[in-house]
């Protein structure tokens, strides 16, 4: 039988590689002799064994290809290219005809012979195999791409190899490196290894003449500016438990000053992989922002001089602020998954056409997401975001908005509708042609049922409004729950929220928040602004060309202390804090908000006590609106406040802040401090 014999042949090849690695060692006086001794017996089996061992090779090539696709007349030099397997892999991500010339440079004649045979069999007319030294090889023209794929750790004179590569790199060229590594004693958090790890892995690889020390990457970053990095661990064939550390890295010339948005888009995230706080689930709580940006617009008056700090949440409103023209928006969240969600949205806008972005975040489903992720998205994500979304790719198989904390609530709503056979009613509600028709549908059924407040209703309400469900499904923390209970009970609070929303906010044409909750998706005419094609096209340029959006995973006050701001959006953050933390926040607001700067927040309390603390920090504080009337399309908070830092202008007297609270506007314009 063919299949078993092929298996046996494969195992024999793997055994040849393992024997060469573990039993033969490395012998020879020169670097070339040592490589011939090591690779000669395993050259015929090299590709098969390394395919499941060199984990960083393919994603590094994909990352390079993503930055080169669309260009022509390219030159690629693969230093230490061995059997030319990298060329075959690269063909999966970019048309090889984009390259005028590809050089496979290796000093080992046994590997070069395999490479030559492969070039002939594949018919690669633009590929040349060069048996030469990476320290001295010079291409005929400057290289657009130079790669070291698991070769730099095997080059003793690595500084000469890097210097030579840099000298032959085109002005707008990139260098890609994938290799095993150990960290320095004190290194970046994403790279750091313990003493035992450093000693163990250096000792293991040293047997084969491979030096995993940190010096190579440090020298790379001395010569080139890093634009991408990813550190991970990968399995070793036939070795259980142990996983070898490897990295992918891309750099560009430090003297390159031109703008190339396809190759070098602006970066938004730091590369540190933040740890999830223990109280949070291993995913995001909010898949969209639950504050109405339409009402925020009226109060914030965003302009090109603004530096804005906001909680990240679902990220929609941070993108909205960029669109409105803020000079820089800093989105911060202590839950790394929220940062990773916004990072995904940002990179998708920059890298993908509108239809793909609409499928991902409008419909919540994209059948080709795994391919898009590998080719276009992952090469531009931070390490943490890349690892997170590589594990969560299934989210786009059955619907993004059915996942995360909020997703549990949406799944519950859809399941209840299916059990009670009310799917048609939901479709009728969200597509009601007029607000009056919507009100009739709601108050004839659910609204009426909620107002009756019978024992069945109360029991059902308890199941969905107990503290555990509220936290893991709706992101309502214990502090907020206590604020609600001081002024009302949770049942009345929810009924007020839902009934008022159904009465005043049209789900078909305006209220995308509850439309998503009921259907698990948006519609083209009812969605966050970044999913409108005109807005999307502007964001694509703005996000790629400048650092208009920074995404940070840390405590809010920590980021607040880093720079001066003209606008700060607290959302409902202060509801979560103890008094000592509120005092620290208010002190930071006093120091970091410029005169005339504005701070807005929402609360589950109609009159939160901490408003006085913000006032004492040097702000004129006014309650814009409260739950005594319909507030906004979200309508789930009890109050909406603005504080204006002393020393600046008040709101524009001609600007309409709230349809339902003109008295608050008058008070604000008169710099009233009454709360």
């Amino acid at each position: 039988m063919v299949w078993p014999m092929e298996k046996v042949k494969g195992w024999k090849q793997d055994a040849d590689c393992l024997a060469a690695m573990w039993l033969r060692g490395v012998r020879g006086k020169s670097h070339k002799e040592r490589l011939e001794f090591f690779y000669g017996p395993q050259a015929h089996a090299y590709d098969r064994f390394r395919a499941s061992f060199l984990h960083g090779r393919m994603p590094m090539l994909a990352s390079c290809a993503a930055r080169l696709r669309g260009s022509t007349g390219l030159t690629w030099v693969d230093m230490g290219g061995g059997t030319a397997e990298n060329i075959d892999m690269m063909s999966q991500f970019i048309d090889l005809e984009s390259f005028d010339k590809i050089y496979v440079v290796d000093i080992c004649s046994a590997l070069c012979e395999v490479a030559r045979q492969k070039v002939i069999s594949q018919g690669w007319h633009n590929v040349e195999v060069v048996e030469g030294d990476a320290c001295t090889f010079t291409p005929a023209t400057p290289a657009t791409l130079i790669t070291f794929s698991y070769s730099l750790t095997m080059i003793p004179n690595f500084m000469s190899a890097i210097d030579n590569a840099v000298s032959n790199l085109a002005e707008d060229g990139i260098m890609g490196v994938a290799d095993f590594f150990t960290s320095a004693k004190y290194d970046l958090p994403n790279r750091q290894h313990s003493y035992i790890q450093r000693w163990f892995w250096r000792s293991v690889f040293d047997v084969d003449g491979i030096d995993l020390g940190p010096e190579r990457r440090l020298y790379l970053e001395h010569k080139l500016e890093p634009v991408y990095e990813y550190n991970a661990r990968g399995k070793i064939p036939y070795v259980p438990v142990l996983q070898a550390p490897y990295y992918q890295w891309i750099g560009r010339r430090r003297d390159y000053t031109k703008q190339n948005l396809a190759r070098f888009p602006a970066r938004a995230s730091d590369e540190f992989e933040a740890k999830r706080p223990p109280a949070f689930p291993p995913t995001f709580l909010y898949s969209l922002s639950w504050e109405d940006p339409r009402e925020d617009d009226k109060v914030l008056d965003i302009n090109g001089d603004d530096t804005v700090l906001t909680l990240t949440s679902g990220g929609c409103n941070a993108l909205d602020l960029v669109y409105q023209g803020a000079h820089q928006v800093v989105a911060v969240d202590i839950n790394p998954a929220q940062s990773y969600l916004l990072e995904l949205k940002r990179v998708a806008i920059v890298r993908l056409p509108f239809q793909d972005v609409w499928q991902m975040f409008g419909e919540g489903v994209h059948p080709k997401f795994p391919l898009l992720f590998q080719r276009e998205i992952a090469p531009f994500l931070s390490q943490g975001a890349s690892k997170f979304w590589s594990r969560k790719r299934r989210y786009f198989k059955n619907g993004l908005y059915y996942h995360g904390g909020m997703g549990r609530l949406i799944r519950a709503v859809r399941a209840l509708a299916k059990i009670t056979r009310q799917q048609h009613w939901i479709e009728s509600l969200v597509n009601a042609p007029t607000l009056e028709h919507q009100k009739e549908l709601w108050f004839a059924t659910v609204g009426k049922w909620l107002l009756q407040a019978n024992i069945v209703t109360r029991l059902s309400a308890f199941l969905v409004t107990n503290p555990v469900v509220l936290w893991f499904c709706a992101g309502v923390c214990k502090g907020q729950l206590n604020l609600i209970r001081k002024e009302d009970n949770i049942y009345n609070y929810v009924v007020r929220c839902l009934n008022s929303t159904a009465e005043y906010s049209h789900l078909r044409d305006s209220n995308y928040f509850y439309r998503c909750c009921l259907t698990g998706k948006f519609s083209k005419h009812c969605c966050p602004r970044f999913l409108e094609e005109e807005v999307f096209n502007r964001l694509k340029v703005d996000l790629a060309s400048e650092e208009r959006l920074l995404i940070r995973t840390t405590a809010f006050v920590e980021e607040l202390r880093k720079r001066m701001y003209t606008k700060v959006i607290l959302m409902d953050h202060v509801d979560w804090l103890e008094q000592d933390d509120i005092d620290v926040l208010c002190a930071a607001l006093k120091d970091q908000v410029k005169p005339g700067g504005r701070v807005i927040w929402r609360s589950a309390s109609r009159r939160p006590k901490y408003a006085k603390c913000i006032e004492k920090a040097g702000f004129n504080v006014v309650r814009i609106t409260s739950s005594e009337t319909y507030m906004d399309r979200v309508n789930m908070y009890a109050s909406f406040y603005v504080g204006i830092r002393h020393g600046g202008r008040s709101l524009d007297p001609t600007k309409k802040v709230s349809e339902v609270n003109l008295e608050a506007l008058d008070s604000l314009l008169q710099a009233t401090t009454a709360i």
Side-chain angles (χ1 to χ4, degrees), residues 76 86-96 124 375:
W76 174 19
N86 289 344
I87 313 301
D88 201 23
M89 287 186 173
M90 181 66 95
S91 67
Q92 300 177 42
F93 306 112
I94 188 172
D95 186 354
L96 294 183
W124 294 329
R375 290 172 58 91

Side-chain angles (χ1 to χ4, degrees), residues 278-298:
F280 285 82
T283 187
F284 43 82
L285 286 171
Y286 314 103
S287 49
L288 66 150
S289 297
W290 276 88
E291 282 76 22
D292 190 344
R294 190 167 65 186
E295 299 305 312
D296 292 357
D297 293 355
K298 300 172 184 176

